Each structure stands twice: as structure tokens, then as C-alpha cells.
Amino acid sequence: ASVSEPAQKCCSENIQPFLTSILEELMGPVSSGFTEVRSLFDKEVNEIIQDFQKTNDMTRLKENVDQLMTLPFNSVKMEPCYLKVNLLQELLQDLKNRFKVYHIDFVIQRTQNFMQELMENAVYTFEQLFSPSHQADSAKVATTIEKVKLRVLK
């Protein structure tokens, strides 16, 4: 009881007025990281579409879709997404000094984990909605892939 009132006063005067601006500042890198994940998925699926339109090869399409499933675990391709979030290091350093925020690396790592999880969900959903083995009409495959991609990106 004796600590509650001073703690609430300290929070309401020294922390709460800054929370909105802090969250807005942190959301910039986080948002750009997730946007990069979306762009990467879009680019990879577009490459599958283009390759299929050139080759019309269902076996190769299956291989490309299988390769897409490994995208979340491809550190080279995911790197640009992760780099966007590394900007948090600087922003969180300022918070660490002002508000004694610790475990900055943990915040960045968790954000990157969420990005990988989002990509895992995207490629899994893509695979569930589009199965090359169920595509009888190869003339409609590219259109189907595009529709599935747009559905996943929604």
C-alpha cells in the first residue's frame, strides 16, 4: 500500500506520457520488417509463376513449390527482413538509457522469430490452397497460383 501510490504517480508522470510516441517509434522498423516479409513472399511466388509460364513443366512447378516451403528457413533470403528490425537496436538503446529497458537483443530476436513464423504460415497456407498435383488444366495454373498468392497476402 505504501509503494503503490508513489509507483502509480511515477508511472503516470514519467512513463505514460511517452508510451504512445515510443510505440510509434518502435513500430516503424517492426512494420518495415513485416512488409519486407510480405514482399519476399510475393517475389518468390511471382518467380514460380514466371518459371511455370516459361516451362509449363508440372514437375518443376512441384519442385519450386517445395523450395518455397523452405523459404522461412533460408537465412540468406530472410536476411533483408531481419535487417529492417535491427534498426530497433538504436531505438531501444535510447529507451534503455531513459527507462532502464533491458534485454534489447531479446526484443529484436522475438520480432525476427515472429517474422519467420509469419513466413512459415504464409508458405504453409499457400501449399494448402494450391496443390500442383490437383491441377489438371496447366493453362490455368499460373492464374490459380496468382489467386492463391493474393489470398495468402490478404
Side-chain angles (χ1 to χ4, degrees), residues 25-67:
E25 201 170 325
L26 294 177
M27 283 309 298
V30 171
S31 181
S32 66
F34 282 97
T35 299
E36 191 72 25
V37 169
R38 180 185 172 90
S39 296
L40 176 60
F41 176 80
D42 185 46
K43 178 179 115 358
E44 293 293 320
V45 174
N46 286 342
E47 288 176 10
I48 291 172
I49 293 169
Q50 291 170 359
D51 184 66
F52 182 76
Q53 288 173 331
K54 289 178 192 171
T55 65
N56 221 23
D57 182 349
M58 292 300 282
T59 303
R60 188 161 166 172
L61 173 63
K62 171 82 171 98
E63 291 169 0
N64 288 339
V65 171
D66 289 344
Q67 185 69 29

Side-chain angles (χ1 to χ4, degrees), residues 3-121:
V3 174
S4 178
E5 192 175 316
Q8 286 180 344
K9 183 179 179 192
C10 178
C11 285
S12 66
E13 291 175 2
N14 299 319
I15 297 173
Q16 193 148 11
F18 303 105
L19 279 180
T20 302
S21 63
I22 290 169
L23 288 175
E24 285 176 15
E25 201 170 325
L26 294 177
M27 283 309 298
V30 171
S31 181
S32 66
F34 282 97
T35 299
E36 191 72 25
V37 169
R38 180 185 172 90
S39 296
L40 176 60
F41 176 80
D42 185 46
K43 178 179 115 358
E44 293 293 320
V45 174
N46 286 342
E47 288 176 10
I48 291 172
I49 293 169
Q50 291 170 359
D51 184 66
F52 182 76
Q53 288 173 331
K54 289 178 192 171
T55 65
N56 221 23
D57 182 349
M58 292 300 282
T59 303
R60 188 161 166 172
L61 173 63
K62 171 82 171 98
E63 291 169 0
N64 288 339
V65 171
D66 289 344
Q67 185 69 29
L68 180 69
M69 296 305 295
T70 66
L71 184 59
F73 312 105
N74 185 328
S75 60
V76 173
K77 289 188 177 184
M78 291 293 290
E79 182 73 13
C81 306
Y82 298 150
L83 288 176
K84 298 281 185 182
V85 179
N86 284 345
L87 295 173
L88 283 174
Q89 186 76 35
E90 297 166 22
L91 295 172
L92 290 172
Q93 194 62 43
D94 182 46
L95 292 180
K96 181 179 178 181
N97 296 335
R98 287 173 53 197
F99 298 108
K100 307 293 185 240
V101 174
Y102 298 102
H103 309 294
I104 294 171
D105 292 335
F106 178 74
V107 173
I108 293 169
Q109 183 182 30
R110 286 297 297 149
T111 304
Q112 291 171 341
N113 289 348
F114 285 132
M115 293 165 69
Q116 181 180 2
E117 191 176 310
L118 178 66
M119 184 63 83
E120 287 178 44
N121 291 340

Side-chain angles (χ1 to χ4, degrees), residues 99-154:
F99 298 108
K100 307 293 185 240
V101 174
Y102 298 102
H103 309 294
I104 294 171
D105 292 335
F106 178 74
V107 173
I108 293 169
Q109 183 182 30
R110 286 297 297 149
T111 304
Q112 291 171 341
N113 289 348
F114 285 132
M115 293 165 69
Q116 181 180 2
E117 191 176 310
L118 178 66
M119 184 63 83
E120 287 178 44
N121 291 340
V123 298
Y124 175 80
T125 303
F126 180 86
E127 181 189 45
Q128 296 302 305
L129 295 175
F130 175 76
S131 176
S133 59
H134 294 115
Q135 300 298 320
D137 186 3
S138 65
K140 295 182 180 179
V141 170
T143 305
T144 303
I145 294 172
E146 180 67 24
K147 287 180 180 177
V148 170
K149 177 190 81 171
L150 293 174
R151 182 72 180 157
V152 170
L153 289 174
K154 240 181 190 179

